[in-house]
Amino acid sequence: MKQIFFALVVIFSASVAYATTSLTQPCPIAGRENEVLCSSSPTICCASSSIWCIAECGGIIGPGGGDDDDDKTECPDECPSETSWNTATLGRMAKCVKDTSSAQCVYKCVSNWYATSKTTVNGQISAGACAECPDDATCTIWSQPPICNQNRYSKKNTTDNTYTCQLCPQYTIIQDGFAPMIVNGSTSEPGAISIQECYIPNNTNSLDDTGFFTITGGDCYYSNRFTG
């Protein structure tokens, strides 16, 4: 049994207008079109629905209450400041937000960490967990998944909602005057979210157990189909 690639050429054009204030615009990020656009300045940030925009793009509200249960308007120890972010637990930073009846922590992940889950505590949005960015990825927006390096694709662990970056599948390349060499497939840019974004470049000479072949007609993208 072997995994194979298949060739696919797609030609398209599109024009997208970004809005910085509307929560009804579809997300312009490929693969996340069913989400809503929360902001586009200074970077595009999307969420699963408008009610999650604050949590995923601006900060996550945690359960309220000071150290003394009789005084709910005192900032908790984990977020003593209303003006600056303080290092908290679980790879997070916390800042205090007060109103007339309560004081709560707003959380975000520390630099080079990303949010892995959303949970609700007593009707309030809680920070959930943060995980350290993989070595083979970048995490520029803490509320979004890691961006895997080029020639890798992200794979989600559904148990804890963390991500790893997998190398594209291997294939054999044949070059004049050189012995056959095993290399990994390519992606067109960083941030691939599926193995189907991996490909063998056009005009590549290769071989498998059926013999020698040359990729023609465009890059040959990976398929999860199997042949015997």
Side-chain angles (χ1 to χ4, degrees), residues 7-212:
L8 175 65
V9 178
V10 178
I11 300 175
F12 66 92
S13 62
S15 176
V16 179
Y18 297 160
T20 58
T21 57
S22 173
L23 299 180
T24 61
Q25 297 290 323
C27 181
I29 301 174
R32 302 180 61 184
E33 291 83 0
N34 291 332
E35 300 184 17
V36 297
L37 175 64
C38 299
S39 65
S40 60
S41 178
T43 56
I44 294 173
C45 188
C46 301
S48 53
S49 66
S50 58
I51 63 174
W52 283 105
C53 279
I54 293 177
E56 298 186 4
C57 298
I60 300 180
I61 303 295
D67 300 320
D68 185 347
D69 289 339
D70 295 329
D71 188 355
K72 299 295 186 181
T73 60
E74 291 298 318
C75 290
D77 286 344
E78 194 162 77
C79 57
S81 174
E82 296 179 67
T83 58
S84 61
W85 293 94
N86 293 89
T87 300
T89 58
L90 304 175
R92 304 176 301 176
M93 301 185 75
K95 184 167 64 174
C96 185
V97 175
K98 283 188 177 184
D99 58 29
T100 57
S101 60
S102 67
Q104 304 176 89
C105 291
V106 176
Y107 292 98
K108 67 178 182 179
C109 298
V110 299
S111 177
N112 207 42
W113 287 56
Y114 65 97
T116 63
S117 62
K118 300 185 288 285
T119 58
T120 301
V121 178
N122 297 328
Q124 300 289 341
I125 301 169
S126 177
C130 296
E132 191 169 8
C133 193
D135 291 337
D136 42 17
T138 57
C139 296
T140 56
I141 302 176
W142 67 268
S143 59
Q144 296 183 8
I147 300 172
C148 292
N149 295 344
Q150 192 163 0
N151 304 333
R152 296 175 181 265
Y153 63 95
S154 63
K155 185 175 182 180
K156 184 177 182 179
N157 183 337
T158 56
T159 301
D160 58 7
N161 293 326
T162 58
Y163 290 82
T164 57
C165 294
Q166 306 290 316
L167 280 167
C168 285
Q170 295 179 332
Y171 65 95
T172 301
I173 187 172
I174 306 296
Q175 295 177 301
D176 291 341
F178 294 91
M181 180 171 58
I182 296 176
V183 298
N184 289 92
S186 305
T187 63
S188 59
E189 59 185 4
I193 60 175
S194 168
I195 193 174
Q196 276 76 33
E197 295 182 60
C198 297
Y199 65 87
I200 300 175
N202 189 33
N203 297 322
T204 296
N205 296 317
S206 187
L207 64 85
D208 59 15
D209 54 6
T210 65
F212 294 91

